[in-house]
Amino acid sequence: MTTRFSHRFRALVAGYAAAVILTVCIAPARAQTVVVMVNGEPITDFDIEQRTKLDVLSNHKQPVRQDVINDLIDDKLKTKEAKQFGVDPSASDIDQAYASMSSRMRITPDQLTKSLETQGIRPDTLKARIKTDMVWTSLVRGRYKERLQVGERDVEAAVKAEGGGDEQQKSDAFEYRMQPVVLVVPHGSAQSAIEARQKEAETLRAKVQTCDEANAYFKSLPNAAIQEPVIKTSADIPEVLRKLLDDTPIGHLTPPEVTKQGIQMVALCARKPTTIDTPKKKEMREKIYTKKYETTSKTYLQEIRGKAMIEYR
């Protein structure tokens, strides 16, 4: 397990529940000692061992055994509660989430499995954690939708509390109308072919002065494509792209970028101030929502724990 893999894995596992939130036996069969019974379901010493190894991989530190046991108890309670309300993803749903995680780490599911195995971790251990995150997030959001709503007044107040006045908000908020364009470069092409298409992109960038011209050029060029117009606000766009769009004159193309598809640019058709949203307001809205979710989730879990039958052996 490389340090690079470990860091990527830690980042993905740590953020999995807030974004979204989703049996290869690598050791000989052996007797398992039951440590805790949760509503009639066992947690064994092997479950604790597996979860401990996963936590070490995720957090780079040895967890306290009782904390691991508490997490496993919570997982049992969460999945059972979710199932009672019809939230029960299939094995294929979990496999798909597992594959998505590996894709974000830029490895295949098989490679993720092998990497886990080198640490003595079964894939099902990670899949069980993914499932818990998926069902619990869905359940809490579904049952407490109204409680989790974030009012615009709360957002405005939070922005002002951090020094974001109205003028600053207006200057930061734009609505962009744009059309992504691409000069296709087949996979595996020589560097010379890529460079030739880059030069072609720069030539087109110098010619194009309106989105109508961009459509005319890119629809007639071989191995080129232009998408339908899309509208995004400042809050929807990464900071790097916002900077490029703000530096690009209306009707012109952003600097060419090499992507998997080829040489990509964006035709900026319009840019106008908007009060719909700003990056700061979006940040504050997400912070308020996260706080509401965490408080609601904690209270809900405490209620379930209070009704559960938890028996230590």
Side-chain angles (χ1 to χ4, degrees):
M1 175 74 66
T2 64
T3 301
R4 184 180 178 186
F5 169 83
S6 182
H7 287 320
R8 285 183 293 172
F9 180 83
R10 179 184 181 186
L12 283 170
V13 172
Y16 197 84
V20 164
I21 354 197
L22 318 73
T23 298
V24 179
C25 186
I26 59 176
R30 58 175 174 148
Q32 297 183 26
T33 302
V34 175
V35 178
V36 191
M37 293 293 291
V38 183
N39 291 330
E41 295 185 26
I43 294 176
T44 69
D45 56 352
F46 184 65
D47 295 329
I48 298 169
E49 175 190 313
Q50 282 286 294
R51 184 57 172 265
T52 299
K53 290 180 179 179
L54 184 62
D55 287 351
V56 170
L57 181 61
S58 303
N59 304 318
H60 290 198
K61 63 180 181 180
Q62 186 72 24
V64 177
R65 177 179 170 83
Q66 187 58 48
D67 290 344
V68 174
I69 293 173
N70 287 336
D71 287 343
L72 289 170
I73 291 173
D74 290 345
D75 287 358
K76 292 282 188 186
L77 297 175
K78 288 176 179 179
T79 53
K80 183 176 181 179
E81 181 77 2
K83 191 172 184 178
Q84 290 179 344
F85 285 89
V87 183
D88 188 22
S90 66
S92 61
D93 292 330
I94 304 304
D95 287 340
Q96 185 176 353
Y98 184 82
S100 295
M101 174 177 279
S102 67
S103 177
R104 291 192 294 274
M105 296 176 72
R106 298 182 181 178
I107 58 177
T108 66
D110 286 343
Q111 288 173 325
L112 176 55
T113 295
K114 290 177 181 178
S115 295
L116 291 171
E117 289 177 348
T118 62
Q119 300 296 306
I121 303 170
R122 297 187 312 160
D124 282 353
T125 300
L126 175 56
K127 289 181 181 181
R129 182 172 175 181
I130 289 173
K131 180 179 179 179
T132 300
D133 289 342
M134 288 175 63
V135 301
W136 186 247
T137 300
S138 179
L139 179 62
V140 174
R141 288 179 175 175
R143 291 203 65 192
Y144 299 100
K145 183 177 181 180
E146 292 185 1
R147 185 185 300 182
L148 297 175
Q149 290 181 351
V150 179
E152 285 305 304
R153 288 184 179 180
D154 293 334
V155 175
E156 296 278 359
V159 171
K160 288 182 180 180
E162 291 205 359
D166 292 337
E167 291 303 316
Q168 180 65 33
Q169 289 186 45
K170 290 177 182 178
S171 67
D172 285 345
F174 291 96
E175 181 182 272
Y176 304 91
R177 183 173 181 271
M178 50 196 170
Q179 288 185 265
V181 299
V182 63
L183 295 175
V184 179
V185 178
H187 181 69
S189 295
Q191 183 62 32
S192 58
I194 298 175
E195 292 174 356
R197 296 240 80 177
Q198 283 180 304
K199 290 180 180 179
E200 186 179 358
E202 290 290 1
T203 299
L204 287 168
R205 188 168 176 241
K207 289 182 179 179
V208 171
Q209 296 188 18
T210 68
C211 279
D212 287 339
E213 290 181 355
N215 276 273
Y217 281 123
F218 283 90
K219 287 180 178 178
S220 61
L221 282 174
N223 296 320
I226 182 167
Q227 297 181 15
E228 292 298 315
V230 294
I231 297 176
K232 299 285 186 180
T233 67
S234 299
D236 301 322
I237 300 174
E239 184 177 355
V240 174
L241 180 55
R242 286 203 309 269
K243 178 69 166 58
L244 287 177
L245 292 173
D246 290 341
D247 291 342
T248 300
I250 303 299
H252 290 244
L253 300 169
T254 59
E257 178 186 6
V258 179
T259 67
K260 290 182 179 180
Q261 289 73 36
I263 310 303
Q264 186 167 325
M265 298 176 284
V266 173
L268 180 61
C269 304
R271 177 181 57 236
K272 60 182 182 180
T274 179
T275 57
I276 295 176
D277 212 349
T278 68
K280 190 64 177 179
K281 285 174 69 175
K282 182 178 181 181
E283 177 190 344
M284 289 299 103
R285 186 178 294 107
E286 290 175 351
K287 283 185 177 180
I288 295 170
Y289 182 89
T290 298
K291 186 175 181 179
K292 283 176 173 282
Y293 174 86
E294 290 175 349
T295 300
T296 302
S297 174
K298 183 178 180 180
T299 301
Y300 189 10
L301 183 57
Q302 287 175 341
E303 292 175 0
I304 298 172
R305 262 187 171 267
K307 302 173 183 178
M309 183 175 292
I310 302 171
E311 178 187 359
Y312 284 85
R313 296 293 179 90

